[in-house]
Coordinates of all heavy atoms in Angstrom, one line a residue:
M383 N 34.9 -5.6 6.0 CA 33.7 -6.3 6.4 C 32.6 -5.4 6.8 O 31.4 -5.6 6.4 CB 34.1 -7.2 7.6 CG 33.0 -8.1 8.0 SD 32.9 -9.5 6.9 CE 31.9 -10.6 7.8
S384 N 32.9 -4.3 7.5 CA 31.9 -3.4 7.9 C 31.2 -2.8 6.6 O 30.0 -2.5 6.6 CB 32.5 -2.3 8.7 OG 31.6 -1.3 9.0
Y385 N 32.0 -2.5 5.6 CA 31.4 -1.9 4.4 C 30.4 -2.9 3.7 O 29.4 -2.5 3.3 CB 32.6 -1.6 3.4 CG 32.0 -1.1 2.0 CD1 31.5 0.2 1.9 CD2 32.0 -1.9 0.9 CE1 31.0 0.6 0.7 CE2 31.5 -1.5 -0.3 CZ 31.0 -0.2 -0.4 OH 30.5 0.2 -1.6
R386 N 30.7 -4.2 3.7 CA 29.8 -5.1 3.1 C 28.5 -5.2 3.9 O 27.4 -5.2 3.3 CB 30.5 -6.5 3.1 CG 29.6 -7.5 2.4 CD 30.2 -8.9 2.4 NE 31.5 -8.8 1.8 CZ 32.2 -9.8 1.4 NH1 31.7 -11.0 1.5 NH2 33.4 -9.7 0.8
N387 N 28.5 -5.2 5.2 CA 27.3 -5.2 6.0 C 26.5 -4.0 5.7 O 25.3 -4.0 5.6 CB 27.6 -5.4 7.4 CG 28.1 -6.8 7.8 OD1 27.9 -7.7 7.0 ND2 28.8 -6.9 8.9
R388 N 27.2 -2.8 5.6 CA 26.4 -1.6 5.4 C 25.7 -1.6 4.1 O 24.6 -1.2 4.0 CB 27.4 -0.4 5.6 CG 26.7 0.9 5.5 CD 27.6 2.0 5.9 NE 27.8 1.9 7.3 CZ 28.3 2.8 8.1 NH1 28.5 4.0 7.6 NH2 28.5 2.6 9.3
S389 N 26.4 -2.0 3.0 CA 25.8 -2.0 1.7 C 24.7 -3.0 1.7 O 23.7 -2.8 1.0 CB 26.8 -2.2 0.6 OG 27.3 -3.6 0.7
G390 N 24.8 -4.1 2.4 CA 23.8 -5.1 2.4 C 22.5 -4.6 3.1 O 21.4 -4.8 2.6
S391 N 22.7 -3.9 4.2 CA 21.5 -3.3 4.9 C 20.9 -2.2 4.0 O 19.7 -2.0 4.1 CB 21.9 -2.8 6.3 OG 22.7 -1.7 6.2
N392 N 21.8 -1.5 3.3 CA 21.2 -0.4 2.4 C 20.3 -1.0 1.3 O 19.3 -0.5 1.0 CB 22.4 0.4 1.8 CG 23.0 1.3 2.7 OD1 22.5 1.6 3.8 ND2 24.2 1.8 2.3
S393 N 20.8 -2.1 0.7 CA 20.0 -2.7 -0.3 C 18.7 -3.4 0.3 O 17.7 -3.3 -0.3 CB 20.8 -3.8 -1.1 OG 21.2 -4.8 -0.3
A394 N 18.8 -3.9 1.5 CA 17.6 -4.5 2.1 C 16.7 -3.4 2.5 O 15.4 -3.5 2.3 CB 18.0 -5.3 3.4
S395 N 17.2 -2.3 2.9 CA 16.3 -1.2 3.3 C 15.6 -0.6 2.0 O 14.4 -0.2 2.0 CB 17.0 -0.1 4.1 OG 18.0 0.5 3.3
T396 N 16.4 -0.6 0.9 CA 15.8 -0.1 -0.3 C 14.7 -1.0 -0.8 O 13.6 -0.6 -1.3 CB 16.9 0.0 -1.4 OG1 17.9 0.9 -1.0 CG2 16.3 0.5 -2.7
V397 N 14.9 -2.3 -0.7 CA 13.9 -3.3 -1.1 C 12.6 -3.1 -0.2 O 11.5 -3.1 -0.8 CB 14.4 -4.7 -1.0 CG1 13.3 -5.8 -1.1 CG2 15.4 -5.0 -2.0
I398 N 12.8 -2.9 1.1 CA 11.6 -2.7 2.0 C 10.9 -1.5 1.6 O 9.6 -1.5 1.5 CB 12.1 -2.7 3.4 CG1 12.5 -4.1 3.9 CG2 10.9 -2.2 4.3 CD1 13.2 -4.2 5.2
A399 N 11.6 -0.4 1.3 CA 10.9 0.9 0.9 C 10.2 0.7 -0.4 O 9.1 1.2 -0.6 CB 11.9 2.0 0.8
V400 N 10.8 0.0 -1.4 CA 10.2 -0.2 -2.7 C 8.9 -1.0 -2.6 O 7.9 -0.8 -3.2 CB 11.2 -0.7 -3.7 CG1 10.5 -1.2 -5.0 CG2 12.2 0.3 -4.0
V401 N 9.0 -2.1 -1.8 CA 7.8 -3.0 -1.6 C 6.7 -2.2 -1.0 O 5.5 -2.3 -1.4 CB 8.2 -4.2 -0.7 CG1 6.9 -4.9 -0.3 CG2 9.1 -5.1 -1.5
A402 N 7.0 -1.4 0.1 CA 6.0 -0.5 0.7 C 5.4 0.5 -0.3 O 4.1 0.7 -0.4 CB 6.5 0.3 1.9
D403 N 6.2 1.0 -1.2 CA 5.8 2.0 -2.2 C 4.8 1.3 -3.2 O 3.8 1.8 -3.6 CB 6.9 2.6 -3.0 CG 7.7 3.5 -2.1 OD1 7.2 4.0 -1.0 OD2 8.9 3.9 -2.5
V404 N 5.2 0.1 -3.6 CA 4.4 -0.7 -4.6 C 3.1 -1.0 -4.0 O 2.0 -0.9 -4.7 CB 5.2 -1.9 -5.1 CG1 4.2 -2.9 -5.9 CG2 6.4 -1.5 -6.0
M405 N 3.0 -1.5 -2.8 CA 1.8 -1.8 -2.1 C 0.9 -0.5 -2.0 O -0.3 -0.6 -2.3 CB 2.1 -2.3 -0.7 CG 2.7 -3.7 -0.7 SD 3.5 -4.2 0.9 CE 2.1 -4.3 1.9
A406 N 1.4 0.6 -1.7 CA 0.7 1.8 -1.6 C 0.2 2.3 -3.0 O -1.0 2.7 -3.1 CB 1.5 2.9 -0.9
V407 N 1.0 2.1 -4.0 CA 0.6 2.5 -5.4 C -0.6 1.6 -5.8 O -1.5 2.1 -6.4 CB 1.8 2.4 -6.3 CG1 1.3 2.4 -7.8 CG2 2.7 3.6 -6.1
I408 N -0.5 0.3 -5.6 CA -1.6 -0.6 -6.0 C -2.9 -0.2 -5.3 O -4.0 -0.1 -5.9 CB -1.3 -2.0 -5.7 CG1 -0.1 -2.5 -6.6 CG2 -2.5 -2.9 -5.8 CD1 0.5 -3.9 -6.3
I409 N -2.8 0.1 -4.0 CA -4.0 0.5 -3.3 C -4.5 1.9 -3.8 O -5.7 2.1 -4.0 CB -3.7 0.6 -1.7 CG1 -3.5 -0.8 -1.2 CG2 -4.9 1.2 -1.0 CD1 -3.0 -0.9 0.2
G410 N -3.6 2.8 -4.0 CA -4.0 4.1 -4.5 C -4.6 4.0 -5.9 O -5.5 4.7 -6.3
L411 N -4.0 3.1 -6.7 CA -4.6 2.9 -8.1 C -6.0 2.4 -8.0 O -6.9 2.8 -8.7 CB -3.7 1.9 -8.8 CG -4.0 1.7 -10.3 CD1 -4.0 3.0 -11.1 CD2 -3.0 0.7 -10.9
W412 N -6.3 1.5 -7.0 CA -7.7 1.0 -6.9 C -8.6 2.1 -6.4 O -9.7 2.2 -7.0 CB -7.8 -0.2 -5.9 CG -9.2 -0.4 -5.5 CD1 -9.8 -0.3 -4.3 CD2 -10.3 -0.8 -6.4 NE1 -11.1 -0.5 -4.4 CE2 -11.5 -0.8 -5.7 CE3 -10.3 -1.0 -7.8 CZ2 -12.7 -1.1 -6.2 CZ3 -11.6 -1.3 -8.3 CH2 -12.7 -1.4 -7.6
I413 N -8.2 2.9 -5.5 CA -9.0 4.1 -5.1 C -9.3 5.0 -6.3 O -10.5 5.4 -6.5 CB -8.3 4.9 -4.0 CG1 -8.2 4.1 -2.7 CG2 -9.0 6.2 -3.7 CD1 -7.3 4.7 -1.6
L414 N -8.3 5.3 -7.1 CA -8.5 6.1 -8.3 C -9.5 5.4 -9.3 O -10.4 6.0 -9.8 CB -7.2 6.4 -9.0 CG -7.2 7.3 -10.2 CD1 -7.7 8.7 -9.8 CD2 -5.8 7.4 -10.8
M415 N -9.3 4.1 -9.5 CA -10.2 3.4 -10.4 C -11.6 3.4 -9.9 O -12.6 3.5 -10.7 CB -9.7 1.9 -10.6 CG -8.5 1.8 -11.4 SD -7.9 0.1 -11.5 CE -6.7 0.1 -12.8
Y416 N -11.8 3.2 -8.6 CA -13.1 3.3 -8.0 C -13.7 4.6 -8.2 O -14.9 4.7 -8.6 CB -13.0 2.9 -6.5 CG -14.4 2.8 -5.9 CD1 -15.1 1.7 -5.9 CD2 -14.9 4.0 -5.3 CE1 -16.4 1.6 -5.3 CE2 -16.2 3.9 -4.7 CZ -16.9 2.8 -4.7 OH -18.2 2.7 -4.2
L417 N -13.0 5.7 -7.9 CA -13.6 7.0 -7.9 C -13.9 7.4 -9.4 O -14.8 8.2 -9.6 CB -12.6 8.0 -7.3 CG -12.4 7.9 -5.8 CD1 -11.3 8.9 -5.4 CD2 -13.7 8.1 -5.1
L418 N -13.1 6.9 -10.3 CA -13.4 7.2 -11.8 C -14.3 6.2 -12.4 O -14.6 6.2 -13.6 CB -12.1 7.2 -12.5 CG -11.1 8.3 -12.1 CD1 -9.8 8.2 -12.9 CD2 -11.7 9.7 -12.3
D419 N -14.9 5.3 -11.6 CA -15.9 4.3 -12.0 C -15.3 3.4 -13.2 O -16.0 3.3 -14.2 CB -17.2 5.0 -12.4 CG -18.4 4.0 -12.5 OD1 -18.3 3.0 -11.7 OD2 -19.3 4.3 -13.2
A420 N -14.2 2.9 -12.9 CA -13.5 2.0 -13.9 C -14.4 0.8 -14.2 O -15.1 0.3 -13.3 CB -12.1 1.6 -13.5
N421 N -14.3 0.2 -15.4 CA -15.1 -0.9 -15.8 C -14.6 -2.1 -15.0 O -13.5 -2.7 -15.2 CB -14.8 -1.2 -17.3 CG -15.6 -2.4 -17.8 OD1 -16.3 -3.0 -17.1 ND2 -15.3 -2.7 -19.0
R422 N -15.5 -2.6 -14.1 CA -15.1 -3.7 -13.2 C -15.0 -5.1 -14.0 O -14.5 -6.0 -13.4 CB -16.2 -3.9 -12.1 CG -16.3 -2.6 -11.3 CD -15.7 -2.7 -9.9 NE -15.8 -1.4 -9.2 CZ -16.6 -1.2 -8.2 NH1 -17.3 -2.2 -7.7 NH2 -16.6 0.0 -7.6
A423 N -15.5 -5.1 -15.2 CA -15.4 -6.3 -16.0 C -14.0 -6.4 -16.6 O -13.6 -7.5 -17.1 CB -16.4 -6.4 -17.1
N424 N -13.2 -5.4 -16.6 CA -11.9 -5.3 -17.2 C -10.9 -6.2 -16.3 O -10.9 -6.1 -15.1 CB -11.4 -3.9 -17.3 CG -10.0 -3.8 -17.9 OD1 -9.1 -4.0 -17.2 ND2 -10.0 -3.5 -19.2
D425 N -10.1 -6.9 -17.0 CA -9.1 -7.8 -16.3 C -8.2 -7.0 -15.4 O -7.9 -7.4 -14.3 CB -8.4 -8.7 -17.2 CG -9.2 -9.8 -17.9 OD1 -10.3 -10.1 -17.3 OD2 -8.8 -10.3 -18.9
L426 N -7.6 -5.9 -15.9 CA -6.7 -5.1 -15.1 C -7.4 -4.5 -13.9 O -6.8 -4.6 -12.8 CB -6.1 -4.0 -16.0 CG -5.2 -3.0 -15.2 CD1 -4.0 -3.8 -14.7 CD2 -4.7 -1.9 -16.1
V427 N -8.6 -4.0 -14.0 CA -9.3 -3.5 -12.9 C -9.6 -4.5 -11.9 O -9.4 -4.3 -10.7 CB -10.6 -2.8 -13.4 CG1 -11.5 -2.3 -12.2 CG2 -10.3 -1.6 -14.4
Q428 N -10.0 -5.7 -12.3 CA -10.3 -6.8 -11.4 C -9.0 -7.2 -10.7 O -9.0 -7.5 -9.4 CB -10.8 -8.0 -12.2 CG -12.2 -7.9 -12.6 CD -12.7 -9.1 -13.4 OE1 -12.0 -10.1 -13.5 NE2 -13.9 -9.0 -13.9
F429 N -7.9 -7.3 -11.4 CA -6.6 -7.7 -10.7 C -6.2 -6.6 -9.7 O -5.9 -7.0 -8.5 CB -5.5 -7.8 -11.8 CG -4.1 -8.0 -11.2 CD1 -3.8 -9.3 -10.7 CD2 -3.2 -7.0 -11.1 CE1 -2.5 -9.5 -10.2 CE2 -2.0 -7.2 -10.5 CZ -1.6 -8.4 -10.1
V430 N -6.3 -5.4 -10.0 CA -5.9 -4.3 -9.1 C -6.8 -4.3 -7.9 O -6.4 -4.2 -6.7 CB -5.9 -2.9 -9.8 CG1 -5.8 -1.8 -8.7 CG2 -4.8 -2.8 -10.8
H431 N -8.1 -4.5 -8.1 CA -9.1 -4.6 -7.0 C -8.8 -5.8 -6.1 O -8.8 -5.6 -4.9 CB -10.5 -4.7 -7.5 CG -11.5 -4.7 -6.4 ND1 -12.5 -5.7 -6.5 CD2 -11.7 -4.0 -5.3 CE1 -13.3 -5.5 -5.4 NE2 -12.8 -4.5 -4.6
N432 N -8.5 -6.9 -6.7 CA -8.3 -8.1 -5.9 C -7.0 -8.0 -5.0 O -7.0 -8.3 -3.8 CB -8.2 -9.4 -6.7 CG -9.5 -9.8 -7.3 OD1 -10.6 -9.4 -6.8 ND2 -9.4 -10.5 -8.4
V433 N -6.0 -7.4 -5.6 CA -4.7 -7.2 -4.9 C -4.9 -6.2 -3.8 O -4.5 -6.4 -2.6 CB -3.5 -6.9 -5.8 CG1 -2.3 -6.5 -5.0 CG2 -3.3 -8.0 -6.8
A434 N -5.6 -5.1 -4.1 CA -5.8 -4.0 -3.1 C -6.7 -4.5 -2.0 O -6.5 -4.2 -0.8 CB -6.4 -2.8 -3.8
A435 N -7.7 -5.3 -2.3 CA -8.6 -5.8 -1.3 C -7.8 -6.8 -0.4 O -8.1 -6.7 0.8 CB -9.8 -6.6 -2.0
W436 N -6.9 -7.5 -0.9 CA -6.1 -8.4 -0.1 C -5.2 -7.6 0.8 O -5.1 -7.8 2.0 CB -5.3 -9.4 -0.9 CG -4.5 -10.3 -0.1 CD1 -5.0 -11.5 0.5 CD2 -3.1 -10.3 0.2 NE1 -4.0 -12.1 1.2 CE2 -2.8 -11.4 1.0 CE3 -2.1 -9.3 -0.1 CZ2 -1.5 -11.6 1.5 CZ3 -0.9 -9.6 0.4 CH2 -0.6 -10.7 1.1
L437 N -4.5 -6.6 0.2 CA -3.6 -5.7 1.0 C -4.3 -4.9 2.1 O -3.8 -4.7 3.2 CB -2.9 -4.8 0.1 CG -1.8 -5.4 -0.8 CD1 -1.3 -4.4 -1.8 CD2 -0.7 -6.0 0.0
A438 N -5.5 -4.5 1.8 CA -6.3 -3.7 2.8 C -7.4 -4.5 3.5 O -8.3 -3.9 4.1 CB -6.9 -2.5 2.0
G439 N -7.2 -5.8 3.5 CA -8.2 -6.6 4.2 C -8.5 -6.3 5.6 O -9.6 -6.4 6.1
W440 N -7.5 -5.8 6.3 CA -7.7 -5.4 7.7 C -8.3 -4.1 7.9 O -8.8 -3.8 9.0 CB -6.3 -5.5 8.4 CG -5.3 -4.5 7.8 CD1 -4.5 -4.8 6.7 CD2 -5.1 -3.2 8.2 NE1 -3.7 -3.7 6.4 CE2 -4.1 -2.7 7.3 CE3 -5.6 -2.3 9.1 CZ2 -3.6 -1.3 7.4 CZ3 -5.1 -1.0 9.2 CH2 -4.1 -0.5 8.3
S441 N -8.3 -3.2 6.9 CA -8.8 -1.9 7.1 C -10.0 -1.5 6.1 O -10.6 -0.4 6.4 CB -7.7 -0.8 6.9 OG -7.3 -0.8 5.5
R442 N -10.3 -2.2 5.1 CA -11.2 -1.8 4.1 C -12.6 -1.6 4.6 O -13.4 -0.8 4.1 CB -11.2 -2.6 2.9 CG -11.7 -4.0 3.1 CD -11.6 -4.8 1.8 NE -12.1 -6.2 2.2 CZ -11.9 -7.2 1.5 NH1 -11.3 -7.1 0.3 NH2 -12.3 -8.4 1.9
D443 N -13.0 -2.3 5.6 CA -14.4 -2.2 6.2 C -14.4 -1.5 7.6 O -15.3 -1.7 8.4 CB -15.1 -3.5 6.3 CG -15.4 -4.1 4.9 OD1 -15.6 -3.3 4.0 OD2 -15.3 -5.3 4.7
L444 N -13.3 -0.9 7.9 CA -13.1 -0.3 9.2 C -14.0 0.9 9.5 O -14.5 1.1 10.6 CB -11.6 0.2 9.3 CG -11.1 0.5 10.7 CD1 -11.2 -0.7 11.6 CD2 -9.7 1.0 10.6
F445 N -14.3 1.7 8.4 CA -15.2 2.9 8.6 C -16.6 2.6 8.0 O -16.7 1.8 7.0 CB -14.5 4.0 7.8 CG -13.1 4.3 8.3 CD1 -12.0 3.9 7.7 CD2 -13.0 5.0 9.5 CE1 -10.8 4.2 8.1 CE2 -11.7 5.3 10.0 CZ -10.6 4.9 9.3
T446 N -17.6 3.2 8.6 CA -19.0 3.0 8.1 C -19.6 4.3 7.7 O -20.7 4.7 8.1 CB -19.8 2.4 9.3 OG1 -19.7 3.3 10.4 CG2 -19.3 1.0 9.7
F447 N -18.9 5.1 6.8 CA -19.5 6.3 6.2 C -20.7 5.9 5.4 O -20.8 4.8 4.9 CB -18.5 7.0 5.3 CG -17.3 7.5 6.1 CD1 -16.0 6.9 5.8 CD2 -17.4 8.5 7.0 CE1 -14.9 7.4 6.5 CE2 -16.3 8.9 7.7 CZ -15.0 8.4 7.4
D448 N -21.7 6.8 5.3 CA -22.9 6.6 4.5 C -22.5 6.4 3.0 O -23.1 5.6 2.3 CB -23.9 7.7 4.6 CG -24.5 7.7 6.0 OD1 -24.5 6.6 6.7 OD2 -24.9 8.8 6.5
E449 N -21.6 7.2 2.5 CA -21.2 7.2 1.1 C -20.1 6.1 0.8 O -19.1 6.0 1.5 CB -20.6 8.5 0.7 CG -21.6 9.7 0.8 CD -22.8 9.6 -0.2 OE1 -22.6 9.1 -1.3 OE2 -23.9 10.1 0.2
A450 N -20.4 5.3 -0.2 CA -19.5 4.2 -0.5 C -18.1 4.7 -0.9 O -17.1 4.1 -0.5 CB -20.0 3.4 -1.7
W451 N -18.0 5.8 -1.6 CA -16.7 6.4 -2.0 C -15.9 6.8 -0.8 O -14.7 6.6 -0.8 CB -16.8 7.5 -3.0 CG -17.4 8.8 -2.4 CD1 -18.7 9.2 -2.4 CD2 -16.7 9.8 -1.6 NE1 -18.9 10.3 -1.7 CE2 -17.7 10.8 -1.2 CE3 -15.4 10.0 -1.3 CZ2 -17.3 11.9 -0.5 CZ3 -15.0 11.1 -0.6 CH2 -16.0 12.0 -0.2
A452 N -16.5 7.3 0.2 CA -15.8 7.7 1.5 C -15.3 6.4 2.2 O -14.2 6.5 2.7 CB -16.7 8.5 2.4
R453 N -16.0 5.4 2.2 CA -15.6 4.1 2.8 C -14.3 3.6 2.1 O -13.4 3.1 2.7 CB -16.7 3.1 2.8 CG -17.8 3.4 3.8 CD -18.7 2.2 4.0 NE -19.4 1.7 2.8 CZ -20.5 2.2 2.3 NH1 -21.2 3.2 3.0 NH2 -21.0 1.8 1.2
V454 N -14.4 3.6 0.8 CA -13.3 3.1 -0.1 C -12.0 4.0 0.2 O -10.9 3.5 0.5 CB -13.6 3.1 -1.6 CG1 -12.4 2.9 -2.4 CG2 -14.7 2.0 -1.8
V455 N -12.2 5.3 0.1 CA -11.0 6.2 0.3 C -10.5 6.1 1.7 O -9.2 6.0 1.9 CB -11.4 7.7 0.0 CG1 -10.3 8.6 0.4 CG2 -11.8 7.9 -1.5
A456 N -11.3 6.0 2.7 CA -10.8 6.0 4.1 C -10.2 4.6 4.4 O -9.1 4.5 5.0 CB -11.9 6.3 5.1
G457 N -10.9 3.5 4.1 CA -10.5 2.2 4.4 C -9.2 1.8 3.6 O -8.2 1.3 4.2
Y458 N -9.2 1.9 2.3 CA -8.1 1.6 1.5 C -7.0 2.6 1.7 O -5.8 2.3 1.8 CB -8.4 1.5 0.1 CG -9.2 0.2 -0.3 CD1 -10.6 0.2 -0.2 CD2 -8.5 -0.9 -0.8 CE1 -11.3 -1.0 -0.5 CE2 -9.2 -2.0 -1.1 CZ -10.6 -2.1 -1.0 OH -11.3 -3.2 -1.3
G459 N -7.3 3.9 1.8 CA -6.3 4.9 2.0 C -5.5 4.7 3.3 O -4.3 5.0 3.4
L460 N -6.2 4.3 4.4 CA -5.5 4.1 5.6 C -4.5 3.0 5.5 O -3.4 3.1 6.0 CB -6.5 3.7 6.7 CG -5.9 3.2 8.1 CD1 -5.2 4.4 8.7 CD2 -7.0 2.7 9.0
A461 N -4.8 1.9 4.8 CA -3.9 0.8 4.5 C -2.7 1.4 3.8 O -1.5 1.0 4.1 CB -4.5 -0.3 3.8
A462 N -2.9 2.2 2.7 CA -1.8 2.7 2.0 C -0.8 3.5 2.8 O 0.4 3.4 2.8 CB -2.3 3.5 0.8
V463 N -1.4 4.4 3.6 CA -0.6 5.3 4.5 C 0.2 4.5 5.5 O 1.3 4.7 5.8 CB -1.5 6.3 5.2 CG1 -0.8 7.1 6.3 CG2 -2.1 7.3 4.2
V464 N -0.5 3.5 6.1 CA 0.2 2.6 7.1 C 1.3 1.9 6.5 O 2.4 1.8 7.0 CB -0.8 1.7 7.8 CG1 -0.1 0.6 8.6 CG2 -1.8 2.4 8.7
Y465 N 1.1 1.3 5.3 CA 2.2 0.6 4.6 C 3.4 1.5 4.3 O 4.5 1.1 4.5 CB 1.7 -0.1 3.3 CG 0.8 -1.3 3.6 CD1 -0.3 -1.5 2.9 CD2 1.2 -2.2 4.6 CE1 -1.1 -2.6 3.1 CE2 0.4 -3.3 4.8 CZ -0.8 -3.5 4.1 OH -1.6 -4.6 4.4
L466 N 3.1 2.7 3.8 CA 4.1 3.7 3.5 C 4.9 4.1 4.8 O 6.1 4.1 4.8 CB 3.6 4.9 2.9 CG 3.2 4.8 1.4 CD1 2.5 6.1 0.9 CD2 4.5 4.6 0.6
F467 N 4.2 4.4 5.9 CA 4.8 4.8 7.1 C 5.6 3.7 7.7 O 6.8 3.9 8.0 CB 3.7 5.3 8.1 CG 4.3 5.7 9.4 CD1 4.8 7.0 9.5 CD2 4.2 4.9 10.5 CE1 5.4 7.4 10.7 CE2 4.7 5.3 11.7 CZ 5.3 6.5 11.8
I468 N 5.1 2.5 7.9 CA 5.8 1.4 8.5 C 7.0 1.0 7.6 O 8.1 0.8 8.1 CB 4.9 0.3 8.8 CG1 3.9 0.7 10.0 CG2 5.7 -1.0 9.2 CD1 2.9 -0.4 10.3
G469 N 6.7 0.8 6.3 CA 7.8 0.4 5.4 C 9.0 1.4 5.4 O 10.1 0.9 5.5
H470 N 8.7 2.6 5.3 CA 9.8 3.6 5.3 C 10.4 3.8 6.6 O 11.6 4.1 6.7 CB 9.3 4.9 4.7 CG 9.2 4.9 3.2 ND1 10.2 5.2 2.3 CD2 8.1 4.5 2.4 CE1 9.8 5.1 1.1 NE2 8.6 4.6 1.1
A471 N 9.7 3.6 7.7 CA 10.3 3.7 9.0 C 11.3 2.5 9.2 O 12.4 2.8 9.7 CB 9.2 3.7 10.1
I472 N 10.9 1.4 8.8 CA 11.8 0.2 8.9 C 13.0 0.4 8.0 O 14.2 0.2 8.4 CB 11.1 -1.1 8.6 CG1 10.0 -1.4 9.6 CG2 12.0 -2.3 8.4 CD1 9.1 -2.6 9.3
A473 N 12.8 0.9 6.8 CA 13.9 1.1 5.9 C 14.8 2.1 6.4 O 16.1 1.9 6.3 CB 13.3 1.5 4.5
N474 N 14.3 3.2 6.9 CA 15.2 4.3 7.5 C 16.0 3.7 8.7 O 17.2 4.1 8.9 CB 14.4 5.5 7.9 CG 13.9 6.3 6.7 OD1 14.5 6.2 5.6 ND2 12.9 7.0 6.8
R475 N 15.4 2.9 9.5 CA 16.0 2.4 10.7 C 17.2 1.4 10.3 O 18.3 1.5 10.8 CB 15.1 1.7 11.6 CG 15.6 1.1 12.8 CD 14.7 1.4 14.0 NE 15.2 0.7 15.2 CZ 16.0 1.2 16.1 NH1 16.3 2.5 16.0 NH2 16.3 0.6 17.2
M476 N 16.9 0.6 9.3 CA 17.9 -0.3 8.7 C 19.1 0.5 8.1 O 20.2 0.1 8.2 CB 17.3 -1.3 7.7 CG 16.4 -2.3 8.3 SD 15.7 -3.4 7.1 CE 17.2 -4.2 6.5
H477 N 18.7 1.5 7.4 CA 19.7 2.3 6.7 C 20.7 3.0 7.6 O 21.9 3.1 7.3 CB 19.0 3.4 5.8 CG 19.9 4.2 4.9 ND1 20.5 3.6 3.8 CD2 20.4 5.4 5.0 CE1 21.3 4.5 3.3 NE2 21.2 5.6 4.0
R478 N 20.2 3.4 8.8 CA 21.0 4.1 9.8 C 22.0 3.1 10.4 O 23.0 3.5 11.0 CB 20.2 4.7 10.9 CG 19.6 6.0 10.4 CD 19.0 6.7 11.6 NE 17.6 7.1 11.2 CZ 16.6 7.2 12.0 NH1 16.8 7.0 13.2 NH2 15.4 7.5 11.5
H479 N 21.7 1.8 10.5 CA 22.5 0.8 11.2 C 23.5 0.1 10.2 O 23.5 -0.1 9.2 CB 21.7 -0.2 11.9 CG 21.1 0.5 13.1 ND1 21.6 0.4 14.4 CD2 19.9 1.1 13.3 CE1 20.9 1.1 15.2 NE2 19.8 1.5 14.6

């Protein structure tokens, strides 16, 4: 019984870590697309921007740098780092128990 619970928590912690990674990758992809001046009329660019804007809704306008690129990198980047940190911290805690 103990083995089953342990493997269940391992798979749950893996899912949490992967979800955090995917969230951070989407946000990072938007930052890269923004910095490379990707075509905003493109469907993929719009999709990535919309998802990243939703994920970083709490942090994207947090900073008021003069340069737009700095606001994007800081605001969206903060969200990506927080998701990675919290997601992996939870996953590691679950993995240990």
